Amino acid sequence: MDILSYLCISVRQSAIASGRAFELEWLIAHGLKKTHKMMKLGTWGAVARILNIMTPTKATWNGHNASGWRKDIFAANGFDERMQYGGEDRELGERLFNRGIKSKQIRYSAICLHLDHARSYVKPQMLIKNKAIREHTRVKNVLRTPYGIEKLA
């Protein structure tokens, strides 16, 4: 669960544009519950590096805050376009991992806030299809999708 899942307020565009919505004090003043997750917003430098090392989560490729070298993304052929919402970023990351590219844990160094929203477009059959593609990528050690940037002729 992300940090703003604990925040049940309306965030106005002006608060986002001004940057106030990304300040810990502003979030607390507008209803953010105080938890250990607040450390993600309030640590920098050496403390953030230490927390990145100590975090119990695995470093994975997540599209909300992921980046990579262009040559590596092209080598994996980008996103698998058969996939719909839910996991396409992780599947690309799995192909990158299969290529020997390691993820870097930056949980406390590169902060993202997610404004929660309904996902009425997500259907169970989409998730089943996506899960099957991800499983195939893992089991078969897929390095490159034929359904990405460059299409099969």
Side-chain angles (χ1 to χ4, degrees):
M1 184 177 293
D2 57 60
I3 198 163
L4 282 187
S5 296
Y6 294 101
L7 183 62
C8 297
I9 64 167
S10 175
V11 178
R12 298 183 188 273
Q13 187 173 356
S14 61
I16 295 169
S18 71
R20 288 188 317 266
F22 303 99
E23 297 170 358
L24 187 56
E25 296 78 20
W26 187 92
L27 291 166
I28 292 168
H30 288 84
L32 179 66
K33 293 180 183 174
K34 293 183 180 185
T35 73
H36 70 283
K37 292 185 178 212
M38 292 167 62
M39 289 189 324
K40 292 180 189 178
L41 294 173
T43 58
W44 294 273
V47 174
R49 286 191 295 277
I50 290 168
L51 289 172
N52 284 333
I53 292 167
M54 293 176 51
T55 187
T57 63
K58 286 177 36 179
T60 59
W61 180 280
N62 294 312
H64 66 276
N65 195 17
S67 63
W69 296 108
R70 183 181 190 274
K71 68 177 180 58
D72 295 331
I73 304 298
F74 273 78
N77 205 21
F79 290 117
D80 186 317
E81 294 181 4
R82 296 174 297 166
M83 297 184 77
Q84 296 170 301
Y85 180 86
E88 65 277 13
D89 50 352
R90 296 291 299 272
E91 192 274 338
L92 170 57
E94 289 161 0
R95 282 186 276 119
L96 292 170
F97 182 78
N98 291 345
R99 298 179 86 66
I101 297 165
K102 303 289 184 201
S103 298
K104 184 175 181 179
Q105 181 64 266
I106 56 173
R107 182 179 195 135
Y108 293 90
S109 314
I111 307 308
C112 284
L113 296 179
H114 179 259
L115 299 177
D116 201 22
H117 55 88
R119 292 168 185 84
S120 59
Y121 47 86
V122 176
K123 307 285 185 250
Q125 56 272 33
M126 290 167 54
L127 298 176
I128 292 168
K129 178 182 175 184
N130 289 353
K131 186 176 180 181
I133 293 169
R134 284 186 63 196
E135 181 68 17
H136 174 79
T137 297
R138 276 192 305 275
V139 170
K140 299 294 184 182
N141 200 34
V142 175
L143 304 177
R144 179 178 173 84
T145 180
Y147 305 99
I149 299 166
E150 296 176 354
K151 309 295 185 274
L152 288 177

